[in-house]
Amino acid sequence: MIPFLDLQGVNAQYREELIQVATNVIDSGWYVQGSQVTAFESEFADYCGTKHCIGVANGLDALVLILRAYKELGKLRDGDEIIVPANTYIASILAITENNLKPILVEPNVDTFNLDPDLIEQAITKDTKVILAVHLYGQLADMAAINAIAEKYNLLVIEDSAQAHGAELNGQKSGNLGDASGFSFYPGKNLGALGDAGAVTTNDDELADVIRTLGNYGSHKKYENLYQGVNSRLDEIQAGFLRVKLRHLDNEIEQRRKVAVQYTSSIKNPLIKLPIKALDVKDLSNHVFHLFVIQTDRRDELQQFLSENGVQTLIHYPIPAHQQKAYFDLFDVDLISTEELSQKILSLPISPVMTNEQINSVIRVINDFK
């Protein structure tokens, strides 16, 4: 079976470096808020081109803390509206409702899977305060258009960069394209830890201070608490692992792009809609291919056919947030594009350690589907 993501193979490339880091942390006797976290925060901020990186426990916490910090700073209050793509992973929406804010679901562009700028402006009301732009599947949302709308209406822009580490727009990376950004380093991400981990990036000094304090029990100084905070800190050993993998991230992104180019140039089945056209593959700097997501009207049949022929696939995501039981009482909307996409999308195997034989096998099986 060709795995959807050979995570063991990805991490095996750096096994000795990871073991050395783990040994160093164990031998140091310092396991929380130590030198590995400080170093990673500095290195990841440099990588993203931002002034600040604040390590947190996971990607959901990153988004929760950004919104919570804006509330503490008086820029948001209970009931304010946050525009968010309807087809995103539920974490983007959980962060909003956790802060007693109101998610306003906006349909995606069906070709890019990202927020449709033409629909954002229609959703803005007097209560709108934030656009939460999710760079879904590794492709940047249309940040030029989104930032122009935000400037027009005096809105904050928060990036959900959980799937887009290293994606660029005119030389600026995700994490540095809005007012603040939340990152996940879940093991399966392009930059993945060996456990849960996350971070916030921003150029706002005051926001960074509040987020760091909130994530440390609301304490800026030991035994003194400014806020009713939480415990959400990047683990020392995970920070060390991330430092190792950050050094190899750009190379892994290039390997993912090579897989994507092979897929787009060789998958010829007319039943399949590719995420990008082969003739358009000139500048992929805005896409890091965390996922390679195709569309087909016969998704379930294709997935079964691929499985029977040794290819593992996944669906990101089969049930939209507004149809989840958790949100039955909040949303009463028909989101046609989002609902149709949830029935058509299928994520193909993609990773920096896929072999040409595996890539060609996936292509062959897909082209054989009738």
Side-chain angles (χ1 to χ4, degrees):
M1 177 70 73
I2 297 171
F4 175 74
L5 173 62
D6 183 5
L7 195 53
Q8 187 175 11
V10 170
N11 288 324
Q13 302 173 100
Y14 319 120
R15 186 175 187 275
E16 296 307 317
E17 292 178 87
L18 296 170
I19 289 172
Q20 186 59 58
V21 165
T23 301
N24 293 344
V25 173
I26 292 167
D27 290 346
S28 74
W30 194 301
Y31 308 121
V32 178
Q33 300 290 81
S35 60
Q36 294 289 346
V37 169
T38 300
F40 174 73
E41 289 179 338
S42 175
E43 291 161 7
F44 194 64
D46 286 345
Y47 180 80
C48 294
T50 57
K51 290 176 66 177
H52 303 283
C53 168
I54 305 98
V56 297
N58 54 68
L60 174 57
D61 281 5
L63 296 176
V64 169
L65 288 168
I66 292 169
L67 293 170
R68 170 75 187 281
Y70 277 130
K71 291 183 75 175
E72 296 290 352
L73 290 168
K75 294 188 178 183
L76 293 176
R77 61 183 181 180
D78 287 357
D80 282 343
E81 295 178 355
I82 314 294
I83 288 175
V84 63
N87 61 320
T88 187
Y89 182 56
I90 199 169
S92 309
I93 297 165
L94 288 170
I96 297 169
T97 56
E98 174 68 16
N99 279 288
N100 202 25
L101 301 166
K102 184 178 180 181
I104 303 299
L105 304 181
V106 171
E107 293 264 56
N109 177 302
V110 296
D111 294 320
T112 67
F113 305 111
N114 283 325
L115 268 174
D116 188 337
D118 293 335
L119 299 179
I120 292 175
E121 201 158 4
Q122 299 174 27
I124 294 173
T125 73
K126 63 180 177 59
D127 295 318
T128 306
K129 295 296 185 293
V130 177
I131 301 173
L132 178 54
V134 181
H135 305 312
L136 202 62
Y137 306 150
Q139 183 172 12
L140 292 180
D142 187 346
M143 295 305 294
I146 288 171
N147 282 322
I149 293 170
E151 184 175 0
K152 179 179 178 180
Y153 291 95
N154 194 29
L155 306 177
L156 295 166
V157 175
I158 299 172
E159 299 174 79
D160 183 338
S161 299
Q163 301 183 357
H165 319 71
E168 291 187 11
L169 175 65
N170 298 325
Q172 279 189 290
K173 286 188 171 68
S174 63
N176 193 25
L177 298 169
D179 295 291
S181 179
F183 284 89
S184 169
F185 304 122
Y186 181 77
K189 303 298 185 184
N190 288 20
L191 178 60
L194 275 69
D196 274 320
V200 174
T201 57
T202 185
N203 292 307
D204 186 326
D205 297 342
E206 190 176 23
L207 181 70
D209 287 343
V210 175
I211 290 171
R212 189 177 297 281
T213 301
L214 283 170
N216 188 38
Y217 299 95
S219 175
H220 67 301
K221 184 186 297 184
K222 194 166 186 178
Y223 302 130
E224 293 185 22
N225 301 78
L226 296 175
Y227 311 107
Q228 297 176 24
V230 297
N231 177 14
S232 182
R233 302 177 298 203
L234 177 59
D235 186 80
E236 181 75 356
I237 203 165
Q238 297 300 339
F241 292 153
L242 288 167
R243 292 184 68 201
V244 170
K245 298 185 71 175
L246 179 59
R247 294 195 289 269
H248 303 281
L249 177 58
D250 286 344
N251 179 63
E252 290 203 0
I253 289 171
E254 286 309 308
Q255 296 307 310
R256 286 176 174 274
R257 287 173 176 152
K258 288 178 181 179
V259 177
V261 169
Q262 286 182 257
Y263 279 162
T264 55
S265 62
S266 300
I267 293 175
K268 303 296 185 181
N269 193 322
L271 299 172
I272 307 301
K273 180 179 179 181
L274 297 167
I276 54 174
K277 298 177 183 178
L279 294 178
D280 295 335
V281 185
K282 297 175 182 176
D283 179 12
L284 294 178
S285 60
N286 74 334
H287 204 324
V288 294
F289 291 98
H290 172 61
L291 299 171
F292 190 95
V293 182
I294 61 172
Q295 298 180 53
T296 175
D297 291 331
R298 295 167 58 193
R299 192 266 309 285
D300 294 345
E301 292 176 67
L302 175 59
Q303 186 174 40
Q304 180 65 29
F305 182 77
L306 286 164
S307 178
E308 289 171 353
N309 285 273
V311 179
Q312 183 185 30
T313 59
L314 293 175
I315 301 168
H316 297 87
Y317 302 97
I319 306 175
H322 71 285
Q323 294 182 332
Q324 296 282 358
K325 184 176 180 180
Y327 284 123
F328 274 178
D329 294 336
L330 182 61
F331 299 118
D332 183 17
V333 290
D334 292 320
L335 297 164
I336 296 172
S337 295
T338 296
E339 291 165 16
E340 287 185 353
L341 281 175
S342 72
Q343 300 300 314
K344 293 181 177 181
I345 52 176
L346 187 66
S347 300
L348 302 184
I350 188 166
S351 87
V353 295
M354 281 189 78
T355 65
N356 280 326
E357 181 180 1
Q358 289 175 322
I359 297 165
N360 290 330
S361 292
V362 174
I363 293 167
R364 175 182 54 77
V365 175
I366 289 179
N367 285 337
D368 284 346
F369 179 69
K370 295 180 174 59

